[in-house]
Amino acid sequence: MLVALEALTDRDPDRRDVGAASLGDLLRGTALDADTARLVVGRLVSLTVNEPVTRVRESALNAVSEAFNNHHLPLDLVKPLAAATPTMETEVLGHTIYILGATHAPKALPMIEAFLNHPDQDVREEARLAAAEITASNQNDITHNS
């Protein structure tokens, strides 16, 4: 894991790409505890925000998406992605919107709803799905807590 984290800061985009993919493999499994997963996701978010190469951004976002299969991650951890959306290519916007929705945080809704009228149909659909995910999740919480 340390080698993969170190690769995220390499000058070579191929090494950053491989490092992000390796971390995604770790996040996909159950080998990481919650604190370690948060550390790794934080590094991947930072990489995504600062990364100029689209394929590396995509690998980092795929890895972050994997973390939600085994961990509940707070919005604050991935919130920097929302600020980076103006610099994101269409193909990575969908990943970012999915990640924001996967937090199930009502505070993510305004960040997601901004994309409901995006020119790209896939981005609009991902925004619709992510908003619905948050709404449904929070309705379930209300129902179960009543």
Side-chain angles (χ1 to χ4, degrees):
M1 179 181 81
L2 294 176
V3 171
L5 283 170
E6 189 176 306
L8 297 182
T9 60
D10 199 280
R11 286 184 175 190
D12 181 1
D14 290 336
R15 290 203 20 97
R16 293 193 305 273
D17 191 36
V18 168
S22 296
L23 292 170
D25 290 342
L26 287 172
L27 289 164
R28 184 178 309 113
T30 56
L32 302 181
D33 62 40
D35 289 338
T36 305
R38 283 187 175 97
L39 171 89
V40 169
V41 167
R43 296 278 179 88
L44 289 164
V45 166
S46 180
L47 171 66
T48 302
V49 168
N50 297 302
E51 178 59 49
V53 179
T54 302
R55 68 183 159 78
V56 177
R57 272 184 154 180
E58 194 163 15
S59 290
L61 289 169
N62 280 333
V64 172
S65 296
E66 294 290 351
F68 285 96
N69 293 328
N70 297 306
H71 302 281
H72 175 75
L73 301 171
L75 176 61
D76 286 347
L77 184 63
V78 297
K79 195 174 184 179
L81 295 174
T85 57
T87 67
M88 288 185 181
E89 304 78 1
T90 302
E91 56 265 30
V92 296
L93 268 177
H95 293 296
T96 298
I97 294 165
Y98 167 83
I99 290 165
L100 293 170
T103 66
H104 297 162
K107 290 182 178 180
L109 275 173
M111 298 172 215
I112 293 165
E113 289 170 343
F115 294 97
L116 289 172
N117 295 315
H118 191 275
D120 185 270
Q121 179 187 346
D122 292 337
V123 171
R124 288 193 309 271
E125 179 64 10
E126 195 60 57
R128 187 189 66 72
L129 292 170
E133 173 90 11
I134 290 172
T135 303
S137 171
N138 287 290
Q139 288 291 20
N140 288 338
D141 289 348
I142 291 168
T143 303
H144 286 103
N145 292 329
S146 296

